Amino acid sequence: MPASSFPTPERPLPLPYEKPMLQRAASAADQEKIYRDHTRERLQLTAIEMGLTAVAGSVAALLARLLIPMPEYVGLRVLLLPLTALFAFLIARAPSVQTYGLACMATIATVSFNSYLGALGTDRPLMYFLPAAIIIAVTTSFFWITLAQWVGGSLACYAFFLPFVFDPTANRTDTVFTLLYAGIALATGFVTHRRIQDYQRRAFDQECRLAELSATDALTGARSRAEFLHQAEQAAGLARETGAPLALLYLDIDHFKRLNDSHGHAAGDAVLRGMAAALRQALPQHDVLGRLGGEEFCVLLPGQEQAQAVAVAERLRLLLAQVPRPDERLTVSVGIAVLRADESVMHTLHRADLAMLKAKQSGRDRVCTAD
């Protein structure tokens, strides 16, 4: 039976598990966004250390410049230190990948500008600025999430070369070797950035696969017991906040042990797979199917009252009768419980289980509601 034939009440608020999880992105665009946000959150954990390193490096460069006669712009360079720390703080608090990248570029720009000011007034400003530019280009290569951010960060650093390079009084030898080593550093930073991005993406994909394996029942493809209960807890929390209803269906295959005893466990596994496939195809995307164990399945119906849940359960019961079973027609006993105020999900599940047992005791192949 197509999913469109089931009641689908309006749900004004999205449920937590409707958002694409790491292992279940709805599209390639969703997957890429999740990957970038995941990478941003991980890199933000090192932002404070990077900020302290940037400030400490700028302080060291300033102190070194004081050892050279006639230092320039000392006051301005001191003022840049708290600005650098502020931008580093913004990196750690950035709410999006875009703002994260801008904060990183701003941090690099202040550090590079500080080094530029320190190079002014020296005999060989290009050679003074070169080490800072190389260090910045190479050491920050892992910090960029996108290629565009890497390009922006490199421009924020290397732009301060231009006044020295186009200075007609600059030493030609210094200019040639500075551009050479700056180019090598830029290429090294690019390769490092790409390799680190490749490693991070592979690690992310592996994490997704492992998360999917832990959240999915290997035999049927339904949500595992732990994952189903996790999603049920999230849905229950939202239902309590919004006052929306939440129903649970507890389904159990009738005479399943007899099937295994007479036709073997392979036949029983085939019936379980067929049942899960039929349920997944019939249920709307918002409803969650989980296998609790053995031949017992549970369906989470957010936004549905008891009468609507009964209608869904009856349609599922008739639909499952079409799933092939070698010994007889496939029948299920279904129990229904609706989440009560201040009731735990486990207690609601227990009431649905008792309703399912009542269906068994009443002759099987029927739907019963919890008391």
Side-chain angles (χ1 to χ4, degrees), residues 185-243:
L186 189 65
T188 302
F190 173 76
V191 172
T192 303
H193 167 71
R194 299 304 293 176
R195 294 287 70 80
I196 291 176
Q197 283 294 305
D198 180 67
Y199 169 78
Q200 291 182 155
R201 190 56 191 251
R202 289 174 183 269
F204 173 80
D205 292 340
Q206 183 66 18
E207 182 181 349
C208 290
R209 287 191 289 269
L210 292 175
E212 179 66 18
L213 288 174
S214 67
T216 305
D217 176 64
L219 177 63
T220 65
R223 297 292 93 188
S224 66
R225 179 185 179 91
E227 174 67 9
F228 177 83
L229 293 177
H230 172 69
Q231 294 193 15
E233 290 287 355
Q234 289 185 311
L238 185 59
R240 295 186 189 100
E241 292 177 5
T242 62

Short mmCIF file of all heavy atoms in Angstrom, two decimals, residues 185-243:
data_model
loop_
_atom_site.label_atom_id
_atom_site.label_comp_id
_atom_site.label_asym_id
_atom_site.label_seq_id
_atom_site.Cartn_x
_atom_site.Cartn_y
_atom_site.Cartn_z
N ALA A 185 56.58 27.89 -0.56
CA ALA A 185 55.74 27.80 0.63
C ALA A 185 54.26 27.75 0.26
O ALA A 185 53.48 27.00 0.86
CB ALA A 185 56.01 28.98 1.55
N LEU A 186 53.88 28.54 -0.75
CA LEU A 186 52.49 28.55 -1.19
C LEU A 186 52.09 27.18 -1.76
O LEU A 186 51.02 26.65 -1.44
CB LEU A 186 52.29 29.64 -2.24
CG LEU A 186 50.84 29.92 -2.65
CD1 LEU A 186 50.07 30.49 -1.47
CD2 LEU A 186 50.80 30.90 -3.82
N ALA A 187 52.95 26.60 -2.59
CA ALA A 187 52.66 25.28 -3.15
C ALA A 187 52.62 24.22 -2.06
O ALA A 187 51.75 23.33 -2.07
CB ALA A 187 53.72 24.93 -4.20
N THR A 188 53.54 24.31 -1.12
CA THR A 188 53.55 23.35 -0.01
C THR A 188 52.28 23.48 0.82
O THR A 188 51.67 22.46 1.21
CB THR A 188 54.78 23.58 0.88
OG1 THR A 188 55.95 23.46 0.10
CG2 THR A 188 54.81 22.58 2.02
N GLY A 189 51.87 24.70 1.09
CA GLY A 189 50.64 24.90 1.85
C GLY A 189 49.42 24.37 1.12
O GLY A 189 48.53 23.79 1.73
N PHE A 190 49.39 24.54 -0.22
CA PHE A 190 48.26 24.05 -1.00
C PHE A 190 48.20 22.53 -0.96
O PHE A 190 47.13 21.94 -0.73
CB PHE A 190 48.37 24.53 -2.45
CG PHE A 190 47.35 23.93 -3.36
CD1 PHE A 190 46.04 24.37 -3.33
CD2 PHE A 190 47.71 22.91 -4.25
CE1 PHE A 190 45.09 23.80 -4.17
CE2 PHE A 190 46.76 22.35 -5.09
CZ PHE A 190 45.45 22.79 -5.06
N VAL A 191 49.33 21.88 -1.21
CA VAL A 191 49.36 20.41 -1.19
C VAL A 191 48.99 19.88 0.20
O VAL A 191 48.22 18.93 0.33
CB VAL A 191 50.75 19.90 -1.62
CG1 VAL A 191 50.84 18.39 -1.41
CG2 VAL A 191 51.02 20.26 -3.08
N THR A 192 49.53 20.52 1.23
CA THR A 192 49.21 20.10 2.59
C THR A 192 47.73 20.25 2.88
O THR A 192 47.09 19.36 3.47
CB THR A 192 50.02 20.92 3.61
OG1 THR A 192 51.41 20.79 3.33
CG2 THR A 192 49.75 20.46 5.02
N HIS A 193 47.17 21.38 2.46
CA HIS A 193 45.74 21.61 2.66
C HIS A 193 44.91 20.53 1.98
O HIS A 193 43.97 19.97 2.58
CB HIS A 193 45.35 22.99 2.12
CG HIS A 193 43.88 23.21 2.00
ND1 HIS A 193 43.05 23.37 3.09
CD2 HIS A 193 43.07 23.28 0.90
CE1 HIS A 193 41.80 23.54 2.68
NE2 HIS A 193 41.79 23.48 1.36
N ARG A 194 45.23 20.21 0.74
CA ARG A 194 44.44 19.21 0.00
C ARG A 194 44.58 17.83 0.61
O ARG A 194 43.60 17.08 0.70
CB ARG A 194 44.88 19.20 -1.47
CG ARG A 194 44.70 20.51 -2.20
CD ARG A 194 43.26 21.00 -2.13
NE ARG A 194 42.35 20.12 -2.86
CZ ARG A 194 41.04 20.28 -2.90
NH1 ARG A 194 40.48 21.25 -2.19
NH2 ARG A 194 40.28 19.46 -3.59
N ARG A 195 45.79 17.48 1.03
CA ARG A 195 45.98 16.15 1.62
C ARG A 195 45.26 16.03 2.96
O ARG A 195 44.68 15.00 3.28
CB ARG A 195 47.47 15.87 1.79
CG ARG A 195 48.26 15.75 0.50
CD ARG A 195 47.99 14.45 -0.27
NE ARG A 195 46.66 14.38 -0.88
CZ ARG A 195 46.31 14.97 -2.02
NH1 ARG A 195 47.20 15.69 -2.68
NH2 ARG A 195 45.09 14.84 -2.50
N ILE A 196 45.33 17.09 3.75
CA ILE A 196 44.63 17.06 5.04
C ILE A 196 43.12 17.01 4.82
O ILE A 196 42.41 16.28 5.53
CB ILE A 196 45.03 18.28 5.88
CG1 ILE A 196 46.49 18.16 6.34
CG2 ILE A 196 44.12 18.43 7.10
CD1 ILE A 196 47.01 19.35 7.11
N GLN A 197 42.63 17.76 3.84
CA GLN A 197 41.20 17.71 3.54
C GLN A 197 40.78 16.30 3.09
O GLN A 197 39.72 15.81 3.48
CB GLN A 197 40.87 18.72 2.44
CG GLN A 197 40.79 20.15 2.92
CD GLN A 197 39.64 20.37 3.88
OE1 GLN A 197 38.49 20.07 3.58
NE2 GLN A 197 39.94 20.85 5.08
N ASP A 198 41.62 15.67 2.29
CA ASP A 198 41.32 14.31 1.84
C ASP A 198 41.28 13.36 3.04
O ASP A 198 40.37 12.52 3.14
CB ASP A 198 42.37 13.85 0.83
CG ASP A 198 42.11 12.44 0.33
OD1 ASP A 198 41.10 12.23 -0.36
OD2 ASP A 198 42.92 11.54 0.65
N TYR A 199 42.23 13.50 3.93
CA TYR A 199 42.25 12.64 5.13
C TYR A 199 41.03 12.90 6.00
O TYR A 199 40.39 11.95 6.47
CB TYR A 199 43.53 12.92 5.92
CG TYR A 199 43.52 12.29 7.30
CD1 TYR A 199 43.77 10.93 7.47
CD2 TYR A 199 43.23 13.06 8.43
CE1 TYR A 199 43.74 10.35 8.74
CE2 TYR A 199 43.21 12.49 9.69
CZ TYR A 199 43.46 11.15 9.84
OH TYR A 199 43.43 10.58 11.08
N GLN A 200 40.67 14.17 6.19
CA GLN A 200 39.52 14.49 7.02
C GLN A 200 38.23 13.97 6.40
O GLN A 200 37.35 13.49 7.11
CB GLN A 200 39.44 16.00 7.22
CG GLN A 200 40.55 16.56 8.10
CD GLN A 200 40.43 18.05 8.33
OE1 GLN A 200 40.92 18.57 9.32
NE2 GLN A 200 39.80 18.75 7.41
N ARG A 201 38.14 14.03 5.07
CA ARG A 201 36.92 13.55 4.41
C ARG A 201 36.82 12.03 4.53
O ARG A 201 35.72 11.49 4.76
CB ARG A 201 36.91 13.97 2.94
CG ARG A 201 35.58 13.72 2.26
CD ARG A 201 34.49 14.41 3.05
NE ARG A 201 33.17 14.01 2.62
CZ ARG A 201 32.34 14.82 1.94
NH1 ARG A 201 32.73 16.04 1.62
NH2 ARG A 201 31.14 14.42 1.62
N ARG A 202 37.94 11.35 4.37
CA ARG A 202 37.92 9.89 4.52
C ARG A 202 37.54 9.50 5.95
O ARG A 202 36.77 8.56 6.16
CB ARG A 202 39.29 9.31 4.17
CG ARG A 202 39.62 9.37 2.69
CD ARG A 202 41.05 8.91 2.43
NE ARG A 202 41.41 9.02 1.03
CZ ARG A 202 41.25 8.04 0.14
NH1 ARG A 202 40.72 6.89 0.53
NH2 ARG A 202 41.61 8.21 -1.12
N ALA A 203 38.08 10.22 6.92
CA ALA A 203 37.74 9.94 8.32
C ALA A 203 36.26 10.21 8.58
O ALA A 203 35.59 9.45 9.30
CB ALA A 203 38.61 10.78 9.25
N PHE A 204 35.74 11.28 7.99
CA PHE A 204 34.33 11.61 8.15
C PHE A 204 33.44 10.53 7.54
O PHE A 204 32.46 10.09 8.14
CB PHE A 204 34.05 12.96 7.51
CG PHE A 204 32.59 13.34 7.45
CD1 PHE A 204 31.96 13.86 8.56
CD2 PHE A 204 31.88 13.18 6.28
CE1 PHE A 204 30.61 14.21 8.51
CE2 PHE A 204 30.54 13.53 6.22
CZ PHE A 204 29.91 14.04 7.33
N ASP A 205 33.78 10.10 6.32
CA ASP A 205 33.00 9.05 5.65
C ASP A 205 33.03 7.76 6.45
O ASP A 205 32.03 7.05 6.56
CB ASP A 205 33.52 8.82 4.24
CG ASP A 205 33.25 10.00 3.32
OD1 ASP A 205 32.36 10.81 3.65
OD2 ASP A 205 33.92 10.13 2.28
N GLN A 206 34.20 7.43 7.00
CA GLN A 206 34.30 6.23 7.81
C GLN A 206 33.45 6.35 9.08
O GLN A 206 32.79 5.39 9.49
CB GLN A 206 35.77 5.98 8.19
CG GLN A 206 36.02 4.72 8.99
CD GLN A 206 35.74 3.45 8.20
OE1 GLN A 206 35.68 3.48 6.96
NE2 GLN A 206 35.55 2.34 8.87
N GLU A 207 33.46 7.53 9.66
CA GLU A 207 32.62 7.76 10.85
C GLU A 207 31.15 7.60 10.50
O GLU A 207 30.37 7.04 11.29
CB GLU A 207 32.89 9.15 11.39
CG GLU A 207 32.11 9.49 12.65
CD GLU A 207 32.38 10.89 13.14
OE1 GLU A 207 33.33 11.53 12.64
OE2 GLU A 207 31.65 11.35 14.04
N CYS A 208 30.76 8.08 9.33
CA CYS A 208 29.37 7.93 8.89
C CYS A 208 29.01 6.46 8.73
O CYS A 208 27.93 6.03 9.15
CB CYS A 208 29.15 8.67 7.56
SG CYS A 208 29.21 10.46 7.69
N ARG A 209 29.90 5.71 8.10
CA ARG A 209 29.61 4.28 7.90
C ARG A 209 29.49 3.55 9.23
O ARG A 209 28.61 2.71 9.42
CB ARG A 209 30.70 3.66 7.03
CG ARG A 209 30.63 4.06 5.55
CD ARG A 209 31.54 3.21 4.70
NE ARG A 209 32.93 3.51 4.94
CZ ARG A 209 33.62 4.43 4.27
NH1 ARG A 209 33.04 5.13 3.32
NH2 ARG A 209 34.89 4.65 4.53
N LEU A 210 30.39 3.86 10.16
CA LEU A 210 30.33 3.20 11.46
C LEU A 210 29.07 3.60 12.22
O LEU A 210 28.44 2.77 12.88
CB LEU A 210 31.58 3.56 12.28
CG LEU A 210 32.91 3.00 11.77
CD1 LEU A 210 34.06 3.53 12.59
CD2 LEU A 210 32.89 1.47 11.80
N ALA A 211 28.70 4.89 12.12
CA ALA A 211 27.48 5.34 12.78
C ALA A 211 26.26 4.67 12.20
O ALA A 211 25.33 4.28 12.91
CB ALA A 211 27.36 6.86 12.67
N GLU A 212 26.25 4.50 10.87
CA GLU A 212 25.12 3.84 10.22
C GLU A 212 25.03 2.39 10.64
O GLU A 212 23.94 1.86 10.88
CB GLU A 212 25.25 3.96 8.71
CG GLU A 212 24.14 3.28 7.92
CD GLU A 212 22.79 3.94 8.13
OE1 GLU A 212 22.73 5.09 8.60
OE2 GLU A 212 21.78 3.26 7.84
N LEU A 213 26.16 1.73 10.72
CA LEU A 213 26.16 0.32 11.15
C LEU A 213 25.63 0.18 12.58
O LEU A 213 24.89 -0.76 12.88
CB LEU A 213 27.57 -0.26 11.05
CG LEU A 213 28.10 -0.53 9.64
CD1 LEU A 213 29.56 -0.97 9.69
CD2 LEU A 213 27.25 -1.59 8.93
N SER A 214 26.01 1.10 13.45
CA SER A 214 25.56 1.01 14.83
C SER A 214 24.10 1.38 14.99
O SER A 214 23.45 0.98 15.95
CB SER A 214 26.41 1.93 15.72
OG SER A 214 26.19 3.29 15.40
N ALA A 215 23.56 2.15 14.04
CA ALA A 215 22.18 2.61 14.15
C ALA A 215 21.19 1.74 13.38
O ALA A 215 19.99 1.93 13.49
CB ALA A 215 22.06 4.05 13.65
N THR A 216 21.69 0.78 12.61
CA THR A 216 20.84 -0.01 11.73
C THR A 216 20.91 -1.49 12.08
O THR A 216 21.99 -2.02 12.33
CB THR A 216 21.26 0.18 10.26
OG1 THR A 216 21.24 1.58 9.95
CG2 THR A 216 20.32 -0.56 9.32
N ASP A 217 19.76 -2.12 12.10
CA ASP A 217 19.72 -3.57 12.28
C ASP A 217 20.24 -4.23 11.01
O ASP A 217 19.72 -3.99 9.91
CB ASP A 217 18.28 -4.01 12.57
CG ASP A 217 18.16 -5.52 12.68
OD1 ASP A 217 18.75 -6.11 13.59
OD2 ASP A 217 17.47 -6.11 11.81
N ALA A 218 21.25 -5.06 11.15
CA ALA A 218 21.94 -5.62 9.98
C ALA A 218 21.03 -6.50 9.14
O ALA A 218 21.16 -6.53 7.91
CB ALA A 218 23.17 -6.40 10.43
N LEU A 219 20.11 -7.21 9.74
CA LEU A 219 19.27 -8.15 9.00
C LEU A 219 18.16 -7.45 8.23
O LEU A 219 17.93 -7.75 7.05
CB LEU A 219 18.67 -9.19 9.96
CG LEU A 219 17.70 -10.20 9.32
CD1 LEU A 219 18.44 -11.06 8.31
CD2 LEU A 219 17.04 -11.05 10.41
N THR A 220 17.49 -6.52 8.85
CA THR A 220 16.28 -5.96 8.27
C THR A 220 16.44 -4.54 7.72
O THR A 220 15.59 -4.09 6.96
CB THR A 220 15.16 -5.94 9.32
OG1 THR A 220 15.53 -5.05 10.39
CG2 THR A 220 14.92 -7.33 9.89
N GLY A 221 17.48 -3.83 8.12
CA GLY A 221 17.63 -2.45 7.69
C GLY A 221 16.82 -1.46 8.50
O GLY A 221 16.88 -0.26 8.25
N ALA A 222 16.06 -1.94 9.48
CA ALA A 222 15.33 -1.05 10.38
C ALA A 222 16.31 -0.42 11.36
O ALA A 222 17.47 -0.83 11.48
CB ALA A 222 14.24 -1.82 11.11
N ARG A 223 15.83 0.59 12.10
CA ARG A 223 16.67 1.17 13.14
C ARG A 223 16.93 0.12 14.22
O ARG A 223 16.05 -0.69 14.55
CB ARG A 223 15.98 2.37 13.78
CG ARG A 223 15.72 3.54 12.86
CD ARG A 223 17.02 4.20 12.43
NE ARG A 223 17.52 3.65 11.17
CZ ARG A 223 18.69 3.93 10.65
NH1 ARG A 223 19.52 4.73 11.28
NH2 ARG A 223 19.06 3.39 9.50
N SER A 224 18.15 0.13 14.75
CA SER A 224 18.48 -0.78 15.84
C SER A 224 17.69 -0.38 17.09
O SER A 224 17.13 0.72 17.17
CB SER A 224 19.97 -0.74 16.15
OG SER A 224 20.34 0.54 16.64
N ARG A 225 17.65 -1.27 18.07
CA ARG A 225 16.89 -0.98 19.28
C ARG A 225 17.40 0.30 19.95
O ARG A 225 16.61 1.17 20.32
CB ARG A 225 17.00 -2.17 20.25
CG ARG A 225 16.26 -1.95 21.57
CD ARG A 225 16.49 -3.10 22.55
NE ARG A 225 15.80 -2.86 23.79
CZ ARG A 225 14.57 -3.25 24.06
NH1 ARG A 225 13.88 -3.91 23.13
NH2 ARG A 225 14.00 -2.99 25.22
N ALA A 226 18.73 0.41 20.10
CA ALA A 226 19.29 1.58 20.76
C ALA A 226 18.98 2.86 19.99
O ALA A 226 18.63 3.89 20.57
CB ALA A 226 20.80 1.41 20.94
N GLU A 227 19.11 2.82 18.66
CA GLU A 227 18.85 4.01 17.85
C GLU A 227 17.37 4.37 17.88
O GLU A 227 17.02 5.55 17.96
CB GLU A 227 19.31 3.76 16.41
CG GLU A 227 18.96 4.88 15.42
CD GLU A 227 19.72 6.16 15.70
OE1 GLU A 227 20.64 6.16 16.53
OE2 GLU A 227 19.37 7.19 15.08
N PHE A 228 16.51 3.37 17.82
CA PHE A 228 15.08 3.65 17.86
C PHE A 228 14.69 4.31 19.19
O PHE A 228 13.95 5.30 19.21
CB PHE A 228 14.28 2.36 17.68
CG PHE A 228 12.79 2.56 17.78
CD1 PHE A 228 12.06 2.99 16.69
CD2 PHE A 228 12.12 2.35 18.99
CE1 PHE A 228 10.69 3.20 16.79
CE2 PHE A 228 10.76 2.56 19.10
CZ PHE A 228 10.04 2.99 17.99
N LEU A 229 15.19 3.78 20.29
CA LEU A 229 14.87 4.36 21.59
C LEU A 229 15.43 5.77 21.71
O LEU A 229 14.81 6.65 22.32
CB LEU A 229 15.41 3.47 22.71
CG LEU A 229 14.74 2.10 22.84
CD1 LEU A 229 15.41 1.28 23.94
CD2 LEU A 229 13.25 2.24 23.12
N HIS A 230 16.61 6.00 21.12
CA HIS A 230 17.19 7.35 21.13
C HIS A 230 16.29 8.32 20.39
O HIS A 230 16.00 9.42 20.89
CB HIS A 230 18.58 7.31 20.51
CG HIS A 230 19.19 8.66 20.30
ND1 HIS A 230 19.60 9.46 21.36
CD2 HIS A 230 19.45 9.36 19.17
CE1 HIS A 230 20.09 10.59 20.88
NE2 HIS A 230 20.00 10.56 19.56
N GLN A 231 15.84 7.94 19.21
CA GLN A 231 14.97 8.82 18.44
C GLN A 231 13.62 8.99 19.13
O GLN A 231 13.01 10.06 19.06
CB GLN A 231 14.80 8.28 17.02
CG GLN A 231 16.09 8.30 16.22
CD GLN A 231 15.87 8.07 14.74
OE1 GLN A 231 14.75 8.18 14.25
NE2 GLN A 231 16.93 7.78 14.03
N ALA A 232 13.14 7.92 19.77
CA ALA A 232 11.88 8.03 20.49
C ALA A 232 11.99 9.02 21.65
O ALA A 232 11.06 9.79 21.92
CB ALA A 232 11.46 6.65 21.00
N GLU A 233 13.12 9.01 22.35
CA GLU A 233 13.32 9.97 23.44
C GLU A 233 13.33 11.40 22.91
O GLU A 233 12.77 12.30 23.54
CB GLU A 233 14.64 9.66 24.16
CG GLU A 233 14.63 8.38 24.98
CD GLU A 233 13.82 8.50 26.26
OE1 GLU A 233 13.34 9.62 26.56
OE2 GLU A 233 13.66 7.49 26.95
N GLN A 234 13.98 11.62 21.76
CA GLN A 234 14.00 12.96 21.17
C GLN A 234 12.59 13.40 20.80
O GLN A 234 12.19 14.54 21.05
CB GLN A 234 14.90 12.98 19.95
CG GLN A 234 16.38 12.87 20.24
CD GLN A 234 17.22 13.01 18.98
OE1 GLN A 234 16.95 12.36 17.97
NE2 GLN A 234 18.22 13.85 19.03
N ALA A 235 11.85 12.49 20.15
CA ALA A 235 10.48 12.82 19.74
C ALA A 235 9.59 13.08 20.95
O ALA A 235 8.74 13.97 20.94
CB ALA A 235 9.91 11.69 18.89
N ALA A 236 9.78 12.30 22.01
CA ALA A 236 8.98 12.50 23.22
C ALA A 236 9.27 13.84 23.86
O ALA A 236 8.36 14.53 24.34
CB ALA A 236 9.25 11.36 24.20
N GLY A 237 10.54 14.23 23.87
CA GLY A 237 10.89 15.53 24.44
C GLY A 237 10.23 16.67 23.68
O GLY A 237 9.72 17.62 24.29
N LEU A 238 10.24 16.58 22.35
CA LEU A 238 9.60 17.62 21.56
C LEU A 238 8.09 17.60 21.73
O LEU A 238 7.43 18.64 21.78
CB LEU A 238 9.97 17.45 20.08
CG LEU A 238 9.47 18.55 19.14
CD1 LEU A 238 10.02 19.90 19.55
CD2 LEU A 238 9.85 18.23 17.71
N ALA A 239 7.52 16.39 21.84
CA ALA A 239 6.07 16.29 22.04
C ALA A 239 5.65 16.94 23.36
O ALA A 239 4.62 17.60 23.44
CB ALA A 239 5.66 14.82 22.01
N ARG A 240 6.46 16.76 24.38
CA ARG A 240 6.14 17.38 25.68
C ARG A 240 6.22 18.90 25.59
O ARG A 240 5.43 19.61 26.22
CB ARG A 240 7.09 16.86 26.75
CG ARG A 240 6.96 15.37 27.04
CD ARG A 240 7.82 14.94 28.22
NE ARG A 240 7.86 13.50 28.37
CZ ARG A 240 8.83 12.72 27.95
NH1 ARG A 240 9.89 13.27 27.34
NH2 ARG A 240 8.80 11.42 28.10
N GLU A 241 7.17 19.41 24.84
CA GLU A 241 7.34 20.85 24.72
C GLU A 241 6.21 21.49 23.92
O GLU A 241 5.75 22.58 24.25
CB GLU A 241 8.67 21.17 24.05
CG GLU A 241 9.90 20.82 24.88
CD GLU A 241 11.19 21.09 24.14
OE1 GLU A 241 11.12 21.64 23.01
OE2 GLU A 241 12.27 20.77 24.67
N THR A 242 5.79 20.83 22.85
CA THR A 242 4.81 21.42 21.94
C THR A 242 3.38 20.97 22.23
O THR A 242 2.44 21.58 21.71
CB THR A 242 5.16 21.05 20.49
OG1 THR A 242 5.10 19.61 20.33
CG2 THR A 242 6.55 21.53 20.14
N GLY A 243 3.23 19.90 23.01
CA GLY A 243 1.89 19.38 23.25
C GLY A 243 1.37 18.52 22.12
O GLY A 243 0.19 18.15 22.11
#
